[in-house]
Amino acid sequence: MNKINKLFSENKDKKLLSLYFCAGCPTLEGTADVIKTLERRGISMIEVGIPFSDPMADGPVIQDAATTALKNGMSLRKLFAQLKDIKEEVSIPLVLMGYLNPIMQYGIEAFCQSCVDSGVSGVIIPDLPFKDYQEIVKPVADRYDIRVIMLITPETSEERIRFIDEHTDGFIYMVSSAAITGAQKSFDEAKQEYFRRINAMQLRNPRMIGFGISNKQTLEAAQQNAAGAIIGSKFVTLLSESKDADEALDKLFDALAQ
C-alpha cells in the first residue's frame, strides 16, 4: 500500500501534522538530516520542496529558501540522490512539492521512476493544469503508485472539488486562503465557513489544511476541520534561523502551544 494511503487509513482518529521544508536550505547536504529528525520527533508526513526560480504560489519566506537552495547547488537530480541514500531509514510518507517546469524537464516517466527509487510516495505540483494531470501525468503516476495531490481553495467550486475528489487519491490539500503561503495569526470567519462547507461535502479523500498555520489557534482550527495540518513558512523560517532541525522543531512546538 502507498505510504500516504496507509498513514490516513491507520490514523483516522489522530490529528496529523505534516511539515514542509525546501531541499537544500539552509545547507545543500542537510536534507537527509532534516527528514530523519522530523520523523524521529513524531512528524506524520514530510513535504520536501523542490527549489525553483519562480515559485508563484509561495510567499517571501519560501521564495527566499528556494533561492538559497539553488545558490547552494540543489537540483532535482541531487535531491533524488540524497533521498535514495536514506530510503531504508525513513518510514513516514515523503511528498515532493514542486513546479511543473523542472519536472517536465526531468521527464514525467523518469521523475516517477526516481520517486520510487528514492522512497517518495507522492507529489504536489501547484501549477499542473487538471487536464494535463488527467491526460499526461496521472496515467504514468498510477503505474508507479505515486499519488498526485491536488489543491483546493475557498474559491474552488463545489463541482470542481467533487471532480478532484473523484479523480485523485491520497489526500486533498486544502489551502486555507487564495493568498500565497505565509504565517497567519488566526483564521477569520470566512475561512471557518470554508472549512465547514468542505466538511459538509463528505468527500471520499481525507484532507489536510495548509497555508498560514503558525500558532495554537490556527493549528487547532485546521486539525478540527480536517485529518491534520500542514506547516510550511513558520518551520522554514525557524530552520533558516537556527540551521538545526531539532532546535527549529523545539521553537515550532513552543509557538504551536501558544
Side-chain angles (χ1 to χ4, degrees), residues 207-235:
R207 304 172 317 282
M208 296 286 283
I209 296 176
F211 284 47
I213 297 167
S214 62
N215 58 19
K216 185 177 181 180
Q217 185 174 355
T218 49
L219 176 67
E220 289 182 348
Q223 291 184 330
Q224 286 167 5
N225 288 281
I230 300 168
I231 297 177
S233 295
K234 182 71 174 180
F235 180 67

Side-chain angles (χ1 to χ4, degrees), residues 62-75:
I62 293 177
Q63 286 184 19
D64 288 348
T67 299
T68 298
L70 291 171
K71 286 180 179 176
N72 286 344
M74 179 53 74
S75 66

Side-chain angles (χ1 to χ4, degrees), residues 47 124 149-152 171-175 208 210-211 230:
E47 288 179 24
I124 301 169
I149 308 304
M150 288 289 170
L151 289 78
I152 63 172
F171 69 95
I172 290 175
Y173 191 134
M174 277 182 68
V175 176
M208 296 286 283
F211 284 47
I230 300 168

Side-chain angles (χ1 to χ4, degrees), residues 52-69 180-181:
F52 183 51
S53 57
D54 188 25
M56 62 183 184
D58 296 310
V61 169
I62 293 177
Q63 286 184 19
D64 288 348
T67 299
T68 298
I180 57 175
T181 57

